[in-house]
């Protein structure tokens, strides 16, 4: 993978309606990044052979449920709170991206993975400076991806998970088996063919029918062996508390039983 040029911060693809300036969301995330870089974690050391060896992925939910009002989980805020700690704690060597949109597989919101541990081109270049610039680029790109995704309605969570898994496997090869993914989404699948809130999920039989309906004509995400960390999982205020158990077992069937991913809720 090519190292990121220190002064080049590439942008995610956008809908044909044109660019929208990130504005406040961008500034808030960069402010949080500056605080974290100043004191949230220890500097990355070039002689630490155990660090920065794990490929990582980020899924950002641009659907209506990801907005910051009372009907959503506030993806902007959760990115601000969790992205840098995730990169630190998982020792991410790179970061790939996928949006949650109406059709996540075919969404025009795209960005190539960012190298978070770029190699210095000369002995006089400070590796730590390159790493910090790469992290700023990673946060910038998460803002661009979210801004882009918010211009495309819908909530194809399954497609986003499939897309991030495929991107990791195509760009990282066998190292993808140990990848970590941060999914900032409430996991409310809502696309043209499947609305999770309309599916009965109380019994095992109902959940099996719902899972089979969602997967009809779609592939199970290639997440085998990967660690999936959720943020906002099941937190949509419109979801009744009594329905959470069925919701959780529905996704457990897909992500753990069928996809063979290791699901964690550490950042909830």
């Amino acid at each position: 993978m090519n190292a990121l040029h220190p002064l080049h911060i590439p942008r995610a693809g956008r809908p044909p309606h044109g660019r929208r300036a990130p504005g406040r969301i961008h500034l808030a995330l960069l402010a949080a990044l500056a605080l974290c870089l100043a004191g949230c974690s220890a500097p990355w050391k070039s002689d630490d052979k155990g660090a920065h060896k794990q490929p990582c992925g980020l899924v950002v939910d641009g659907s209506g449920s990801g907005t910051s009002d009372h009907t959503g989980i506030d993806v902007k805020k959760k990115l601000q709170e969790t992205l840098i700690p995730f990169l630190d704690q998982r020792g991410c060597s790179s970061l790939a991206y996928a949006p949650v949109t109406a059709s996540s597989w075919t969404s025009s919101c795209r960005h190539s993975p960012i190298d978070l541990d770029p190699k210095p081109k000369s002995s006089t270049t400070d590796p730590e400076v390159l790493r910090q610039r790469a992290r700023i680029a990673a946060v910038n790109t998460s803002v661009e991806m979210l801004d882009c995704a918010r211009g495309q309605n819908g909530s194809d969570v399954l497609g986003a998970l499939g897309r991030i898994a495929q991107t990791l496997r195509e760009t990282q090869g066998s190292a993808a088996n140990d990848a970590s993914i941060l999914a900032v989404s409430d996991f409310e699948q809502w696309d043209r063919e499947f609305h999770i809130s309309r599916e009965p999920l109380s019994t095992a039989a109902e959940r099996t029918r719902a899972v089979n309906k969602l997967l009809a004509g779609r592939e199970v995400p290639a997440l085998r062996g990967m660690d999936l960390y959720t943020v906002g999982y099941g937190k949509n205020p419109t979801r009744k508390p009594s329905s959470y158990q069925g919701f959780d077992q529905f996704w457990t069937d897909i992500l753990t039983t069928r996809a063979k991913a290791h699901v964690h809720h550490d950042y909830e």
Side-chain angles (χ1 to χ4, degrees):
M1 184 185 304
N2 293 329
L4 179 73
H5 190 285
L7 299 181
H8 175 62
I9 301 177
R11 298 177 180 272
R14 291 180 175 275
H17 301 294
R19 294 180 182 270
R20 289 181 295 162
R24 292 179 181 176
I25 178 175
H26 194 124
L27 295 176
L29 281 168
L30 289 181
L33 170 68
L35 289 174
C36 272
L37 293 183
C40 290
S41 60
W44 289 358
K45 299 296 185 182
S46 59
D47 58 354
D48 184 357
K49 297 180 181 180
H52 332 307
K53 299 298 183 183
Q54 185 175 78
C56 295
L58 175 65
V59 172
V60 291
D61 193 335
S63 68
S65 62
T67 58
S68 59
D69 60 23
H70 67 283
T71 64
I73 62 168
D74 199 342
V75 172
K76 176 190 72 173
K77 181 179 179 181
K78 292 188 182 301
L79 269 176
Q80 176 180 321
E81 295 171 344
T82 60
L83 180 55
I84 293 300
F86 170 78
L87 297 179
D88 282 346
Q89 293 162 14
R90 303 311 301 166
C92 297
S93 60
S94 62
L95 188 64
Y97 299 85
V100 175
T101 66
S103 180
S104 300
W105 273 105
T106 60
S107 171
S108 60
C109 302
R110 297 182 179 275
H111 197 283
S112 56
I114 289 181
D115 184 356
L116 295 174
D117 194 19
K119 302 300 183 286
K121 294 183 178 180
S122 71
S123 60
T124 60
T125 302
D126 185 346
E128 182 61 21
V129 171
L130 294 182
R131 295 185 186 112
Q132 304 296 32
R133 288 179 177 176
R135 296 169 89 191
I136 292 173
V139 172
N140 275 336
T141 301
S142 73
V143 173
E144 294 289 339
M145 184 64 70
L146 177 58
D147 188 49
C148 178
R150 281 180 169 173
Q152 302 179 8
N153 295 326
S155 185
D156 178 18
V157 180
L158 185 73
L161 293 172
R163 177 165 157 179
I164 196 67
Q166 177 175 291
T167 298
L168 286 165
R169 296 202 180 280
E170 289 178 347
T171 59
Q172 301 297 329
S174 61
N177 294 327
D178 298 317
S180 290
I181 298 169
L182 184 69
V184 187
S185 171
D186 57 12
F187 279 72
E188 293 288 329
Q189 181 78 25
W190 183 275
D191 59 43
R192 295 176 182 176
E193 300 173 322
F194 186 92
H195 295 174
I196 191 171
S197 62
R198 297 178 182 175
E199 298 294 329
L201 303 173
S202 299
T203 68
E206 288 173 339
R207 290 191 294 274
T208 298
R209 283 194 294 271
V211 168
N212 290 338
K213 179 179 178 180
L214 174 58
L215 295 178
R218 314 189 205 199
E219 296 181 358
V220 174
L223 295 167
R224 179 181 291 271
M226 297 183 185
D227 288 291
L228 177 64
Y229 293 84
T230 68
V231 179
Y233 179 84
K235 298 287 180 65
N236 191 326
T238 63
R239 172 164 294 283
K240 297 179 181 179
S242 59
S243 69
Y244 176 81
Q245 184 175 7
F247 169 91
D248 180 47
Q249 291 175 343
F250 168 87
W251 280 111
T252 297
D253 185 1
I254 294 175
L255 300 174
T256 303
T257 304
R258 305 194 188 205
K260 307 298 183 184
H262 307 297
V263 181
H264 312 272
H265 303 300
D266 303 44
Y267 297 99
E268 296 293 354

